[in-house]
Amino acid sequence: MQTLSTEDYLKAIYHASQSASGTVATTSIANKIGAKSSSVTDMFKKLSDQKLVKYQKYQGVTLTSEGVKTALRIVRKHRLWESFLVSHLNFNWDEVHQVAEQLEHIQSEKLTNELERFLDYPTHDPHGDPIPNRALFMKSYNKILLTELPLNKEGICVGVKDNSSDFLRYLDRRQIGIGTPILVLHREDFDQSLHIQAGNSTLMITQKTAENIYIKP
Amino acid sequence: MQTLSTEDYLKAIYHASQSASGTVATTSIANKIGAKSSSVTDMFKKLSDQKLVKYQKYQGVTLTSEGVKTALRIVRKHRLWESFLVSHLNFNWDEVHQVAEQLEHIQSEKLTNELERFLDYPTHDPHGDPIPNRALFMKSYNKILLTELPLNKEGICVGVKDNSSDFLRYLDRRQIGIGTPILVLHREDFDQSLHIQAGNSTLMITQKTAENIYIKP
DNA sequence: TATTAAATTTAGATGAGTCTAAATATTTTA
DNA sequence: TAAAATATTTAGACTCATCTAAATTTAATA
C-alpha cells in the first residue's frame, strides 16, 4: 500500500512526464510538490525500491508500467471526485481541486467504481480532463490551443491548461466554460491578442489567456 | 489543524465517554485504537496541550467542550458519509464503516454541509445512530434494548449496539434491519432467548443478539 | 576544454507518532 | 492494610518524511 506521500509523488511524476519528454528531473518534482530536492531524491529511491519508477542517479526518473497504473488510479479518483463535487454538491470548477486532493487518497475500489456508476461513467472532469475508466484507459479528443485556432473557424472550448482558481474565475467572469463555442474574429499582430466571439458575446483576450484554453475545432 | 491521528484519538475518547462515566482510561483507548498504552499517554499529553482534553496523570482524560466539538465534527462526517454510501453507492450497512473511517478526515466544511444537503438533512445513519447537524446538535429518540421490550408490545428496530460486519450480516440474514417492527412472543427463562416476530417472520434469537438491538417502543 | 553555474546527492538532524522495557502509581484482594 | 495484580507513565529507541548544509556530478559558457 502506498502512503499519502508516495501517491502525491507518483501523481506529480505522472503529470510531469505528460508535458515533458518522459524522464522527470528531481527539481521539477521538488517544485510541484513543494519540497526540497534532497527529499525528492530520497523518495525517488524509495519509489525505485518499490519498482514504481526507474531511477538513475543524476538522471531523473521514469514511471514503470506499474507506476503509471498507480498514478492513473489516483488521477481517476481525483477526476471522479471533482465531477461529483461539481455535479451534485454545488462546487464551482475553481473550488474542487483542493478537496479532490484529499479525496483521491481514499482507498476503496468499490467506492471508486460505484461513484463512477453513480455519475453515469463520465469521460471528462469539470476542467475537461479525461477520466481514466476502470481499465485505466482514457481517450482525449484531439484538441488545440486557442492560439492555434484559425480565424473564423468555430471551435468549442473543451478544456483549460491552467487550472488555477484565478484563471478559472477569470473565465467565469467572461462566461467562457467547457462547451462554450468560440470563434476568432481578429488576431492582433502587435501583441497576439484576440478578438473572439464566445457564446453570444464578443470580447478581447490576451495571448496568455488564449494559450491556456483548449479548443476542439 | 488536527492530524489524522489526533482525530482518531478524539473520536475514540468521545465514544468511550459516551458509554462510560465521562472520564476515560488510558487502556480503554489503547484497546480501541490498537496502540500501546504508552503511546496513548503521549497523545493524552498532546491533546491536553491543545486544550482538547483535561488530563491528570493516572486519572485518565475527559474531553473539554472544544474537544467534544472536534469529536462531533468527525462523527458528523463519518455518519453523513455512511449514509451516502448506503443511499447512493450501493453499499450495505456492514460495508460502510471502514471507508467512512477514511472519509471522516476530509477537511472541507463546504463538502460536509453540501453532502448533508444532498442527502436531505438525514437525522440518522444506516445503523440508526444520530447525525449531528451543522450546529453539532443531534437528538436520539429514547430507545431501549430488545431485552427490555415487554412481551407482546410492538416496537421498531431503530439501531444496533454492535456495529461489526458479522453481526450486521447476521441481522441481514434474519431480515432484521432499521425500521423492522418487532414483537416479543415469548421469553425463555432458561437462557433468556427470545421468540420474536420480526416483520412477517417469527424466529428465535439469543440473549446476546437481543442485547445488541435497539428498539423504539 | 577549463571554469563556472546549476542540479543532484549525501550526511546528519528534526519532529511526529509509535514501540519496548523498566519504573511508578493505583487498585484489588487476601 | 499489606502484598499482589493491574494500570499508567517514563525513558530511550525506531521509522517515516522531511529539512539544512556540504559534497559531488552534470551542464553551460567563456
Side-chain angles (χ1 to χ4, degrees):
Chain A
M1 195 176 70
Q2 272 34 264
T3 69
L4 189 146
S5 187
T6 59
E7 294 196 346
D8 286 338
Y9 275 88
L10 282 173
K11 197 178 53 145
I13 296 168
Y14 173 80
H15 285 131
S17 66
Q18 288 306 98
S19 31
S21 60
T23 126
V24 175
T26 308
T27 316
S28 77
I29 296 303
N31 293 333
K32 269 193 208 251
I33 296 271
K36 297 291 140 131
S37 27
S38 53
S39 311
V40 176
T41 300
D42 286 348
M43 186 58 84
F44 279 4
K45 286 180 192 163
K46 187 163 315 174
L47 292 172
S48 180
D49 291 344
Q50 298 179 239
K51 307 242 185 281
L52 295 166
V53 302
K54 211 154 66 77
Y55 169 56
Q56 292 206 89
K57 266 193 194 181
Y58 296 100
Q59 302 306 131
V61 289
T62 53
L63 290 171
T64 64
S65 66
E66 199 47 56
V68 171
K69 273 191 223 163
T70 308
L72 283 177
R73 274 190 283 266
I74 301 162
V75 169
R76 168 169 160 79
K77 287 188 276 182
H78 184 101
R79 292 179 180 168
L80 283 172
W81 280 117
E82 285 193 344
S83 304
F84 173 65
L85 295 176
V86 167
S87 63
H88 291 82
L89 298 194
N90 296 329
F91 276 67
N92 196 10
W93 68 342
D94 73 289
E95 301 175 301
V96 295
H97 187 74
Q98 197 226 331
V99 183
E101 288 282 296
Q102 300 176 64
L103 288 162
E104 72 189 4
H105 299 294
I106 305 291
Q107 316 253 227
S108 164
E109 269 200 54
K110 172 158 186 168
L111 173 59
T112 308
N113 294 333
E114 286 291 339
L115 183 63
E116 180 185 33
R117 178 201 51 74
F118 174 70
L119 298 172
D120 204 15
Y121 304 94
T123 58
H124 292 78
D125 77 9
H127 310 110
D129 295 315
I131 301 177
N133 68 12
R134 211 162 154 155
L136 302 181
F137 176 78
M138 56 184 165
K139 74 161 169 284
S140 48
Y141 14 66
N142 56 334
K143 59 194 186 207
I144 58 174
L145 290 177
L146 177 48
T147 45
E148 295 156 354
L149 184 66
L151 279 184
N152 294 310
K153 183 146 184 301
E154 181 161 290
I156 293 176
C157 172
V158 293
V160 291
K161 195 166 166 187
D162 177 353
N163 274 323
S164 72
S165 241
D166 278 353
F167 183 59
L168 297 176
R169 280 203 294 260
Y170 170 87
L171 293 182
D172 279 344
R173 270 179 262 120
R174 271 151 200 75
Q175 302 188 52
I176 298 173
I178 306 294
T180 306
I182 289 184
L183 198 68
V184 179
L185 304 171
H186 176 71
R187 176 171 278 115
E188 194 63 60
D189 278 339
F190 168 60
D191 60 1
Q192 300 296 313
S193 65
L194 302 177
H195 278 269
I196 66 172
Q197 170 140 8
N200 294 323
S201 49
T202 68
L203 46 101
M204 193 276 270
I205 61 173
T206 64
Q207 184 185 20
K208 187 172 175 194
T209 298
E211 280 170 341
N212 282 291
I213 295 176
Y214 287 122
I215 299 290
K216 185 166 75 175
Chain B
M1 196 176 70
Q2 273 34 261
T3 70
L4 188 144
S5 188
T6 59
E7 294 196 344
D8 287 337
Y9 275 88
L10 281 174
K11 197 177 53 144
I13 296 168
Y14 173 78
H15 284 131
S17 65
Q18 289 305 98
S19 31
S21 60
T23 124
V24 175
T26 309
T27 316
S28 76
I29 297 303
N31 293 334
K32 269 193 210 248
I33 296 272
K36 297 291 141 134
S37 25
S38 53
S39 311
V40 176
T41 299
D42 286 349
M43 187 57 85
F44 279 4
K45 285 180 193 163
K46 188 164 313 174
L47 293 172
S48 180
D49 290 346
Q50 298 179 239
K51 306 241 186 284
L52 294 167
V53 302
K54 211 154 68 76
Y55 169 56
Q56 291 205 90
K57 266 195 194 178
Y58 296 100
Q59 303 306 133
V61 289
T62 52
L63 290 171
T64 63
S65 65
E66 199 47 57
V68 172
K69 272 193 224 163
T70 308
L72 282 177
R73 274 190 284 266
I74 301 161
V75 169
R76 170 169 158 78
K77 287 188 276 182
H78 184 101
R79 293 181 179 167
L80 283 171
W81 281 116
E82 285 195 343
S83 305
F84 173 65
L85 294 176
V86 167
S87 63
H88 290 82
L89 298 194
N90 295 330
F91 276 68
N92 196 10
W93 68 340
D94 73 288
E95 301 176 301
V96 294
H97 185 75
Q98 197 225 331
V99 183
E101 288 283 294
Q102 299 174 63
L103 287 162
E104 72 190 4
H105 298 293
I106 304 292
Q107 317 254 227
S108 165
E109 269 200 55
K110 172 158 186 169
L111 173 58
T112 308
N113 293 333
E114 287 291 340
L115 183 63
E116 181 185 33
R117 178 201 52 73
F118 174 70
L119 298 173
D120 203 14
Y121 305 94
T123 58
H124 293 79
D125 76 9
H127 309 110
D129 295 314
I131 301 176
N133 68 12
R134 212 162 155 155
L136 303 181
F137 176 78
M138 57 185 164
K139 74 158 167 284
S140 47
Y141 14 65
N142 57 335
K143 59 194 184 206
I144 59 175
L145 290 176
L146 178 47
T147 45
E148 296 156 354
L149 185 65
L151 279 183
N152 294 309
K153 184 148 186 297
E154 182 162 291
I156 293 175
C157 171
V158 293
V160 290
K161 196 167 167 187
D162 177 355
N163 275 322
S164 72
S165 241
D166 279 351
F167 183 59
L168 298 175
R169 280 202 295 260
Y170 169 88
L171 293 182
D172 280 344
R173 269 180 261 121
R174 271 150 200 75
Q175 302 189 52
I176 299 173
I178 306 294
T180 306
I182 289 184
L183 197 67
V184 180
L185 303 171
H186 176 70
R187 175 171 279 117
E188 194 63 60
D189 277 340
F190 169 58
D191 61 0
Q192 300 296 315
S193 66
L194 302 178
H195 279 269
I196 65 172
Q197 171 141 8
N200 294 322
S201 49
T202 67
L203 46 100
M204 195 277 271
I205 60 173
T206 64
Q207 184 186 19
K208 187 171 173 192
T209 299
E211 280 171 340
N212 282 291
I213 295 176
Y214 288 121
I215 298 290
K216 185 166 74 173

